[in-house]
Amino acid sequence: MSLLKHLSRLPDHFFGTGYDGSFSERMGRLLGIHAPPVANPEDFSRFMLEQATFTVQKFAYGYCRTRVGKSQIKLMLEEEFQTLMNVCRWDGMASIMGDQMVLCWNRLTHHIDPAQRPALADALCLVYDQTLDAQPPQPHRALTGWADMQTRFHHRMKSVLAMPEDDFIGIIHPSWDLVYDLLPLHKEIRDWDRDKIYNAYRLWMIRNVEEIDKRLVPDRLAPALLALAQGEGRR
């Protein structure tokens, strides 16, 4: 059985959320076959979630599959591997989504007045929080939820306001560290492959930048996000 066919038979929750529709529709949207523009907060939330989920899964599964070769299906069905991969997938998704929002921030700020930047940062934090809060509860986060990831992103946006992040490698490095540590293979194996793993991760994030530039409509999205932040501020 091919890996694609195997994945198509896994339950929906194994993919994470943000993948509405049939399996073929999900894959088509992620591969750019059905890729609508992103011009409002709702589509932005879905886009960020889809891209982060897709990236961490393709990257993490891709590395593990390459490392174990023909034993890949057996490995994927092991309970311990699934538990560890679940942590990698969900926490990696949350971290990568933050990186993606910083990348989007750099594109959105060109379409607003400089005085509106704090409000835009608040809007991104709001979308980030709401997107994570909408996800199904995960066993390893039963006590804390997403509070630590949300606090981490809020602090990061405060830092971005004070000192803009415009270096691609610097932007993606926080998530690289986290996902690398969470990959469900022994640390000695990961350390041996560290450079290869990093290069693969960097290429997946370059793909994310290409998707952002292709689908984001910053001149429409930026005002919509500001309106969202203003609406929340009136409550």
Side-chain angles (χ1 to χ4, degrees), residues 172-193:
I172 70 170
H173 208 274
S175 292
W176 149 249
D177 285 338
L178 184 143
V179 175
Y180 177 80
D181 288 340
L182 292 177
L183 283 170
L185 291 181
H186 196 279
K187 186 178 184 299
E188 289 185 1
I189 298 176
R190 287 184 279 122
D191 288 348
W192 183 266
D193 294 335

Side-chain angles (χ1 to χ4, degrees), residues 156-167:
R156 185 173 186 183
M157 288 310 303
K158 288 180 181 179
S159 297
V160 169
L161 277 171
M163 182 69 68
E165 296 183 23
D166 54 11
D167 174 61

Side-chain angles (χ1 to χ4, degrees), residues 2 6 12 14 16 22 36-37 55 114 116 141 161 173 180 193 215:
S2 70
H6 176 77
D12 287 346
F14 207 74
S22 68
T55 297
Q116 295 175 308
R141 291 193 163 273
L161 277 171
H173 208 274
Y180 177 80
D193 294 335
R215 295 183 56 186

Side-chain angles (χ1 to χ4, degrees), residues 7-88:
L7 289 175
S8 69
R9 297 186 181 187
L10 290 172
D12 287 346
H13 67 77
F14 207 74
F15 285 91
T17 54
Y19 289 82
D20 301 325
S22 68
F23 178 77
S24 60
E25 289 171 339
R26 300 170 189 171
M27 296 305 296
R29 190 160 67 243
L30 288 168
L31 296 174
I33 301 172
H34 309 292
V38 177
N40 61 64
E42 294 77 17
D43 289 343
F44 180 62
S45 171
R46 171 182 286 187
F47 177 53
M48 292 289 97
L49 178 62
E50 285 183 348
Q51 294 302 314
T53 304
F54 184 68
T55 297
V56 71
Q57 291 183 172
K58 288 290 288 182
F59 166 71
Y61 278 117
Y63 169 65
C64 293
R65 181 183 61 182
T66 301
R67 203 63 176 85
V68 301
K70 295 181 180 180
S71 300
Q72 58 181 282
I73 300 301
K74 181 180 179 181
L75 176 68
M76 290 173 61
L77 295 177
E78 290 182 359
E79 183 176 352
E80 182 180 3
F81 175 82
Q82 290 188 14
T83 299
L84 293 173
M85 180 60 84
N86 193 62
V87 175
C88 180

